[in-house]
Structures are given as C-alpha cells and as structure tokens.
Amino acid sequence: MASVLVIDDEPDVRDSIRVVLERAGFEVVTADNGLSGVEDYFQRPADVVIVDIIMPRSNGVEVIKKIRAAFAGARIIAITGGGNFGPLGYQPGTIVTDAYLESARQSGADAVMTKPFHRSDLLALVRSLVRN
Amino acid sequence: MRRIFNTLAGRLVALQLLLYAVLLPVLFYRLDALARANAISTFTQHTRAYGAAVARELELGDVLESASRTIAFLDGSVESGTCLYAAVKVNGRLIGSSVVETPASVQSRGDDGAFSASSDSTYAVAIPVRRHDRDGALYLGFDKRPTLRQLQAARTRIVEALLFYGAASVLAAVLLARLVSAPLTQLRAASRRVARGDASAHLSTSSTMAEIRDLSSDLELMRGELVGSAQQLRDEIQRRQLEQAERAALEGQLRHEQRLATVGTFASGLAHEFNNILVPLMLYTEESLEEVGTQQPVRTNLERILRAATRAGSVVSKLLAFSRPIAESRPEAVHLGAVINEALDLFQALIPANVELKRQVMLQGERVLGDPTLLNQVVLNLCSNAVRAMRERGGTLTVTLAPAVGKLPQRAGGATTVVALSVKDTGHGMDAATRERIFEPFFTTGEVGEGSGLGLSIVHGIIMSIGGSISVASAIGVGTQVTVELPVLPSAELAAQPLPA
C-alpha cells in the first residue's frame, strides 16, 4: 500500500485530502507544519509528499529542499492557494503564486497544483508519481 | 491754504514776501534819503552860486551907486524867475525889488542854512556885501517847491520800481517752482502707473535741470530692477503653482495606486483563504458523488454544490488575477491593431441594435509587449462596459487606436513612443466618486447578477503589468472615455522577441 504524507496548516484541506486518498487506498500521514512534516518524513519516508507552499514557520519550499537534499528519489507535489505573500504575510507586488510555484519546482517539487483542485486531478497526479 | 503753502511755489512766494516785508522798507528809506540828499545838495549849491554871483556883481559893479539902479538890478533877478524876492541892505537902509514885496522879517532871518521841507516854500539866503569898506547884505528868497515836487516824484518812482521788482521776483519764484514741480508731477504719474502694474511706464522727464534729470535716470534704473525682480517673482510664483499642481496630481495618482495595491493585497489574501476553503468543499462533494448511486436524488444536489464551488473557484481566480495578472500570461511582441480588430470582430455580434460601432484603428505595424489573450480580454471588457452604459438610450461606441504623446515613465531600455487605445461611449457617464473607484475589485455600477465587478480591476492589472497606464474621463449624461496607453516596442527589442505566427 503506497503511503502519502500531507503537510498543510489548514486542517480542512489536510483532512479532505486524507479522506480522498484513504478511500482510494492510500496510507495517509498528516502534519500541520513544515518542521514536523520533515521530521515525519525522515522517520518514515512516504512514497509521495503533498506539501502546501505558504505555511507559518518552515514553509513549503524549505520543506521540499530539506527532503530533496536527503532523499534524491522523493516524490513531491507542491500545492498553493495563491496570492501575494512576502516573508511577513501579505505583501503587494513581492511574491506571486507563480513565483512560489516556480520556486517549488526549482527546489525540487515533481509537480505543482493550485487550490482548489478536483478529486480526479489529485488522484491522477498521486497515482502517476507512485507508478514512476 | 495750508495745502498751497505746502507746495514748492507756495513756499518760495511766502519766502519772497517775508524777505520783502523786511527789505523793501529799508531799501525805500535808503533810496529816498539818497535822492533827497542829492536834490537838496543840488538846490543849495545852485542858490549859493547864484547868490555869490549876485553879491560879486554888487561888490564890483556900480549898481549900488544909486537906489534906482539897485532896484532895477534886483527886479532883474526876480523877473528872471530865479528868486522869489531880492533885497539889499546898504548904509542901514533896506532896498527891495519893486516887483514883489520884500518880507519884513528878511533882515532877522539870515541864511536858512538847512533845507526844510516842512516850513515854508521859500528858501532864504543872506550874503554879506562889502562896498567901500562898508558892510551891507544881500537877501535872496528861492522857491523850494520845484525841488520838493522833484523829491515827491523820485519817491513815487522808487516805490514803483520796488513794487515792480517784488512782483517780478514772485513771478520768477512761481516759474522756478513750476520748472521743478512739473517734472516731479510727471515722475509721480509714471510711478503710479508702475505701481498699478504697468511695467512699460518709463520714469523719464523732459526737464533740463541736471538734478532732476539725474534723479529721474536713477529712478528709471531702480524701476528697471524692480520690474525685473517683479517679473522674476511672478515667474517664480507661476513655476511654484505649476509644481504644486503637478505634485498634487502625482500625489492623487499615488494615493489611487496605493489604494488599489492595498485592495489588491486584501483581495489576494481573501482569494488565498477562499481557495483553502474550496479544497475540502470540492473534495468532499466529489467524494460523496463517488459514493452515492447514480439514481439517488441527493446526487443532483451534490452536483449543484460542485458547480457552485467550481464557479466560486473561477471568481477567486479572477480576484487573484487582479493582483497577479501577469502570473499566467506569456508576454510577446503583439501587433496591437490586429488584436483589436480581431476582438472587435468578435464583439460586433454582441452589440445591440441601438448601438453603433465606429472603428478608428490607425496603426500599421506598431507592436507592444503583452499577452494577446489578455489584451483581447481588455478590449472586450472595455467595450462591454461601454455598451452596458448605452443599453437604455443607445448611442455610439468609438474605438480608437492611434499614436499618442504619452507620459509613461521611462523604463530602462524601454519604449519611447506610446500608442493610445481609447474606448468611448455616449452613455450615462459617471460622477467623480464613481470614477475614483472603478478600478477596485468588486466595485460595480451594474445590476446585481450582471457582472462580478472584477472586469476593470483586471483590466487595470493587465495594463499595469505590461508597463502601460489607464485613465478615465467621464461626464454625467455625456459619456465615458477610457484611454489605455501602452509603450511601443522599439525595433531592436522587436527583433529580439519571437513574433507570433
């Protein structure tokens, strides 16, 4: 049974992804922040990591970098709700969704997905990564 | 009276009069005394000389030989008009002229000595006559009246001369005062004109007086400097007013941009939250749809929820487009005229019958850097807003694309020329408060359900992202004109860009 680690600070997002993936037959572990998510992965590397980019404390890009540095074969999907965010919250004209997505790609994400997404898209992406 | 005294002429005349009050009596008495002394001296010399001549004749001749010859001699003296009377005392006997009566007091009087104007009209002279060692005396009386008349006439002439001199010098004073005050009056009139702002009024005078000429040329110099500095001041004031107006306009624009940025940031944050909320909404709904059978009635409701959530997702993505319009765009060198014509061809079908579309696309090969799909969206959005404003009364929609004199900030290596796309309607127009807010997301003047209110905010975001500017002119009841200015790509930049097929 393939395992998925879901890291997102939003409980509703985390839980809904978990429900969809568990019903589809995946084993799901969740973390509500980047630091504990990385810890979880280091203890037991999941087959696929789904990580939110904009999170308090350690953000998604940092999480991807740490995991990718230690595990070259890790499969990572970055997700984001988009918006303009600087280091201290909303900032006009600093970092836009695309920049986050691009940054996530460059730091090692295998795929990026913007919220909201359909169940079918989520399952298709996770399955394709597990197969590879 | 005081006013007249305070003029130059008044002062000079008063000074003259004061001087004359003191000097004229002194002059008069001096001159009178001189004339009097002169006349009296002439008179007395004359009488003495005559008396001496007569006495010598009596001493040397034989007139005194007989009484009859003496009387005849004395008669000759009186008849010649020289004397009023003539008498000789010989051997104690007084013999007088037979023509006039000899006054009895003659012997006691002797010589008058001094000439007195007051006493009588006769000036008496007594001269001793010696004849054969015997003493005698000659008594002659002269008429003083002609001399007194001469004196009176001389006095009149002196008074006349002095009065004439006084009058002439008062007149001269008045003329002199005029000579000084006339150019001063001229200068005063000119300086009043200068004070009223007539910069061309010259402080010059036709006076021939050196002091006044010098004064007027100095004043003219000063006027030149004053007029120059006043002009400088006016220029400075005008320059500052212009600067102030420019600064106010810039500040207004900055405030507007800042508000849009704030609203954009807020919209972006809101979008982020909504996207997070939509994830469980969509995933749970789709999961439930997987579980329910195809014939169950609840399925329809779940599908409705999913449709609504999907629609919410598209609204949120529009909202995000306001703050990141360029995010998904792929800018390239675009033939703006072609894009606009294409968009208008599409839009033509949507125009109601009561609206006429006028195209004035006056560009040939100009290209701008932008995403053709987004630019298409800009044209369609502006046109549909314009048509909506004319929905009730109809009107004319004019779309113009032409080179413009732009005020876009220069980007490094950026475009130097500008094209202006203007979309103009003859609809209901809008007031200043509305005009101020139309670029804000969710701001709409349309009916509920008519539009999201995101259109113009997205247009604004698209235009800003490619270095353009957008402005709105509108008047209630007249219509609205939205003008978009975009920098034209220079040929060098054009060559570096991949052109669309």
Side-chain angles (χ1 to χ4, degrees), chain A residues 8-13 15-17 19-21 23-24 52 54 80-85 90-93 96-98 114-120 122-123, chain B residues 261-262 264-266 268-273 275-284 286-287 290-291 306 309-310 313 316 320 323-324 326-330:
Chain A
D8 197 312
D9 57 320
E10 290 283 331
D12 286 339
V13 173
D15 292 345
S16 59
I17 293 174
V19 165
V20 168
L21 291 177
R23 298 264 168 93
D52 187 28
I54 303 158
T80 182
N84 283 359
F85 293 89
Y90 304 135
Q91 297 243 322
V96 295
T97 316
D98 264 22
T114 50
K115 297 176 186 175
F117 39 79
H118 290 288
R119 172 182 178 279
S120 50
L122 172 67
L123 287 176
Chain B
T262 308
T265 304
F266 176 71
S268 162
L270 203 65
H272 179 83
E273 297 299 319
N275 281 338
N276 276 330
I277 292 165
L278 286 170
V279 170
L281 190 60
M282 284 173 73
L283 290 185
Y284 284 130
E286 285 174 329
E287 194 60 37
E290 290 295 316
E291 287 172 12
L306 185 60
T310 309
V316 171
L320 270 180
S323 57
R324 44 158 198 142
I326 205 169
E328 286 82 24
S329 73
R330 295 287 170 263

Side-chain angles (χ1 to χ4, degrees), chain B residues 70-346:
Chain B
T70 305
I71 291 169
F73 179 76
L74 292 173
D75 283 351
S77 287
V78 173
E79 280 170 345
S80 72
T82 311
C83 298
L84 287 178
Y85 62 86
V88 179
K89 192 177 177 185
V90 187
N91 302 327
R93 196 169 66 93
L94 186 71
I95 301 167
S97 159
S98 64
V99 183
V100 293
E101 191 189 340
T102 304
S105 58
V106 158
Q107 291 177 72
S108 60
R109 271 183 77 174
D111 200 331
D112 262 11
F115 185 97
S116 164
S118 57
S119 57
D120 50 44
S121 59
T122 308
Y123 181 75
V125 176
I127 301 160
V129 176
R130 283 175 186 275
R131 175 77 183 183
H132 309 303
D133 300 327
R134 288 217 296 252
D135 283 339
L138 172 65
Y139 299 103
L140 291 171
F142 292 93
D143 192 356
K144 293 199 296 192
R145 280 170 307 185
T147 302
L148 288 175
R149 275 198 299 277
Q150 270 180 11
L151 276 176
Q152 190 57 49
R155 188 173 285 180
T156 309
R157 275 198 300 279
I158 288 169
V159 168
E160 277 172 2
L162 287 177
L163 284 180
F164 176 76
Y165 169 73
S169 51
V170 165
L171 193 67
V174 170
L175 287 178
L176 182 71
R178 276 288 180 82
L179 210 59
V180 175
S181 63
L184 289 181
T185 309
Q186 263 182 330
L187 285 178
R188 180 157 167 262
S191 67
R192 281 188 167 189
R193 283 207 299 280
V194 172
R196 277 199 303 271
D198 179 2
S200 66
H202 286 269
L203 291 173
S204 66
T205 157
S206 54
S207 174
T208 50
M209 295 176 79
E211 293 90 335
I212 290 177
R213 272 208 315 273
D214 290 350
L215 173 67
S216 88
S217 73
D218 284 358
L219 284 175
E220 175 61 16
L221 264 176
M222 194 172 78
R223 180 195 71 88
E225 283 179 18
L226 276 177
V227 167
S229 48
Q231 187 59 43
Q232 270 182 345
L233 270 178
R234 271 197 293 275
D235 289 352
E236 181 67 16
I237 288 169
Q238 200 177 12
R239 196 174 61 77
R240 293 214 178 159
Q241 280 172 342
L242 275 175
E243 274 180 2
Q244 238 166 15
E246 260 174 48
R247 195 180 305 137
L250 274 176
E251 278 171 359
Q253 198 183 339
L254 191 66
R255 268 200 305 278
H256 190 228
E257 297 292 331
Q258 276 172 345
R259 201 167 69 191
L260 284 178
T262 308
V263 173
T265 304
F266 176 71
S268 162
L270 203 65
H272 179 83
E273 297 299 319
F274 267 94
N275 281 338
N276 276 330
I277 292 165
L278 286 170
V279 170
L281 190 60
M282 284 173 73
L283 290 185
Y284 284 130
T285 308
E286 285 174 329
E287 194 60 37
S288 302
L289 277 170
E290 290 295 316
E291 287 172 12
V292 299
T294 47
Q295 297 307 314
Q296 291 200 35
V298 69
R299 182 173 186 85
T300 318
N301 289 344
L302 286 173
E303 280 169 352
R304 285 177 183 153
I305 293 173
L306 185 60
R307 266 206 301 280
T310 309
R311 205 172 135 239
S314 84
V315 170
V316 171
S317 74
K318 278 185 189 169
L319 186 56
L320 270 180
F322 171 72
S323 57
R324 44 158 198 142
I326 205 169
E328 286 82 24
S329 73
R330 295 287 170 263
E332 58 192 46
V334 177
H335 183 186
L336 193 58
V339 168
I340 286 166
N341 276 325
E342 202 178 300
L344 290 179
D345 289 344
L346 271 173

Side-chain angles (χ1 to χ4, degrees), chain A residues 13-131:
Chain A
V13 173
R14 224 163 43 223
D15 292 345
S16 59
I17 293 174
R18 187 166 52 88
V19 165
V20 168
L21 291 177
E22 279 178 352
R23 298 264 168 93
F26 293 95
E27 187 192 327
V28 179
V29 180
T30 60
D32 64 359
N33 67 75
L35 292 179
S36 66
V38 172
E39 243 171 65
D40 288 347
Y41 189 86
F42 276 51
Q43 277 174 14
R44 182 170 167 248
D47 295 308
V48 175
V49 180
I50 297 176
V51 58
D52 187 28
I53 299 174
I54 303 158
M55 283 188 297
R57 295 162 74 187
S58 188
N59 69 42
V61 174
E62 287 168 11
V63 170
I64 296 165
K65 280 181 182 165
K66 281 179 191 165
I67 293 176
R68 181 62 70 208
F71 300 88
R75 287 148 195 172
I76 306 168
I77 300 169
I79 55 173
T80 182
N84 283 359
F85 293 89
L88 298 172
Y90 304 135
Q91 297 243 322
T94 49
I95 303 170
V96 295
T97 316
D98 264 22
Y100 270 112
L101 295 178
E102 189 56 39
S103 168
R105 272 201 193 90
Q106 283 177 1
S107 53
D110 297 290
V112 292
M113 204 159 53
T114 50
K115 297 176 186 175
F117 39 79
H118 290 288
R119 172 182 178 279
S120 50
D121 294 335
L122 172 67
L123 287 176
L125 191 55
V126 173
R127 280 175 184 144
S128 74
L129 283 179
V130 169
R131 265 199 302 277

